[in-house]
Amino acid sequence: MEMGLTGQRALVTGSSKGIGKAIALGLAAEGVDVIVNGRHADEVEAVIAAIRQAAPATNPQAAVADLSRAEDREAVIAAHPDIDILVNNMGIFEPMSYWDITPAIWQKFFETNVLAGDALARAYLPGMLNRDQGRVIFIASEEAIMPSGEMAQYSMTKTMNLSLAKSLSKLTRGGQVTVNTVMPGSTLTEGVADMLQTMYADSGLPQSQWESDFMAHHRPLSQIQRLIRPEEIARLVVFVASPQAGAFSGAALRMDGGLVPTIF
Ligand SMILES: NC(=O)c1ccc[n+]([C@@H]2O[C@H](COP(=O)([O-])OP(=O)(O)OC[C@H]3O[C@@H](n4cnc5c(N)ncnc54)[C@H](OP(=O)(O)O)[C@@H]3O)[C@@H](O)[C@H]2O)c1
């Protein structure tokens, strides 16, 4: 399928690793000029080098910034005032007991996982609406609609992503701009690979069985019984970002391997 994305400009937040990196590479493979973001310059530059190698016709750029900070966000917006595609991917998560969630932790998760994406959408949507072209895509999680209770401070922010995207989609009525959310299930990012290492290094189980054991015991509802690969999420996001996906508006799209056991 011809995606029709060549020459567009995208900001993918938190794209120095994990799902965001796969989205950045996926968009670049379709000819998109991607702005790569993360807090560490060396990791951002490594992704830019990978894009230059895989998609030499594109013009990737760096946005080294802590997007939970208003001043960093303003600097990124000033350096890149016009984009066609905003992927609000950056997010933090940390399992913890509900009783350990202090007001400061609630605040940190709200600022990082909700307010950062809101501020970027607020900055970039007007230009998209004026040009009658653009995409805003939030990356939420199955935790948005099925909180596990393992990290209430995270789950709440992911539910907010869905609500915010739906509200923003109301601003696009009658035009070509869309706002949607993609909800990944458990995905094999570097962070999840590290978590498996921590969980199983001393277990005596061969490494080849860590993933299947994790799925069987910690994600029993998953129908595919494997971790999703970041590239699989990226392919869905690239499609939603493309003109081919113009009929999705305010949608919450699940790619969770069947983890959420309901029809909707
Ligand atoms: N992995 C999963 O199983 C899974 C499942 C469902 C949903 N999700 C969602 O998918 C998104 C990506 O998750 P992931 O697992 O790919 O995460 P990840 O591997 O931890 O990567 C997060 C990215 O965000 C960057 N980042 C973190 N804090 C930042 C900040 N304040 N400012 C700028 N960049 C920041 C990180 O780079 P630096 O640390 O260098 O800044 C990194 O590039 C998140 O919204 C997450 O909630 C993930």
Side-chain angles (χ1 to χ4, degrees):
M1 190 188 290
E2 171 54 52
M3 287 296 168
L5 284 166
T6 306
Q8 296 205 15
R9 285 169 55 83
L11 169 61
V12 183
T13 68
S15 46
S16 60
K17 33 185 183 289
I19 292 171
K21 176 181 169 182
I23 294 170
L25 285 161
L27 286 169
E30 295 298 329
V32 175
D33 295 331
V34 180
I35 302 158
V36 179
N37 162 251
R39 289 167 296 182
H40 301 99
D42 53 340
E43 292 180 357
V44 168
E45 286 304 329
V47 175
I48 286 180
I51 290 175
R52 287 210 175 100
Q53 192 162 29
T58 68
N59 180 25
Q61 292 183 51
V64 178
D66 180 344
L67 294 178
S68 67
R69 294 158 47 96
E71 54 270 41
D72 280 29
R73 290 195 294 266
E74 282 157 19
V76 170
I77 294 161
H80 307 282
D82 285 317
I83 58 169
D84 305 295
I85 300 161
L86 169 63
V87 183
N88 275 325
N89 164 78
M90 183 267 294
I92 53 171
F93 48 96
E94 186 183 348
M96 65 175 70
S97 159
Y98 171 78
W99 306 110
D100 292 336
I101 306 173
T102 62
I105 292 173
W106 282 114
Q107 188 72 27
K108 179 181 167 192
F109 272 77
F110 181 56
E111 282 175 1
T112 307
N113 290 3
V114 181
L115 290 185
D118 171 64
L120 293 171
R122 190 176 292 267
Y124 287 120
L125 250 182
M128 294 181 192
L129 294 171
N130 280 339
R131 294 189 296 277
D132 196 23
Q133 177 195 312
R135 297 279 184 263
V136 178
I137 302 169
F138 287 80
I139 306 300
S141 164
E142 92 284 352
E143 287 273 340
I145 56 170
M146 192 179 73
S148 62
E150 292 170 5
M151 38 187 170
Q153 85 291 8
Y154 170 77
S155 311
M156 186 193 72
T157 63
K158 292 290 146 176
T159 311
M160 286 176 161
N161 289 162
L162 298 189
S163 180
L164 177 59
K166 189 69 173 175
S167 294
L168 293 177
S169 75
K170 305 287 183 189
L171 303 173
T172 70
R173 188 177 169 84
Q176 302 299 317
V177 179
T178 67
V179 184
N180 292 289
T181 307
V182 167
M183 288 187 284
S186 298
T187 304
L188 186 55
T189 56
E190 295 93 328
V192 172
D194 288 347
M195 180 190 76
L196 291 180
Q197 179 76 31
T198 307
M199 288 173 75
Y200 288 101
D202 300 326
S203 68
L205 208 62
Q207 190 165 358
S208 58
Q209 291 174 28
W210 291 359
E211 182 176 347
S212 57
D213 189 85
F214 173 78
M215 296 307 294
H217 294 101
H218 297 273
R219 296 292 182 272
L221 290 174
S222 165
Q223 295 303 306
I224 60 174
Q225 282 297 297
R226 64 171 176 81
L227 292 163
I228 300 162
R229 271 36 186 181
E231 296 73 23
E232 295 179 279
I233 306 293
R235 281 193 285 274
L236 174 59
V237 173
V238 168
F239 174 65
V240 175
S242 79
Q244 308 281 6
F248 288 111
S249 176
L253 303 168
R254 282 163 44 181
M255 185 183 270
D256 59 17
L259 199 57
V260 178
T262 55
I263 295 172
F264 289 111

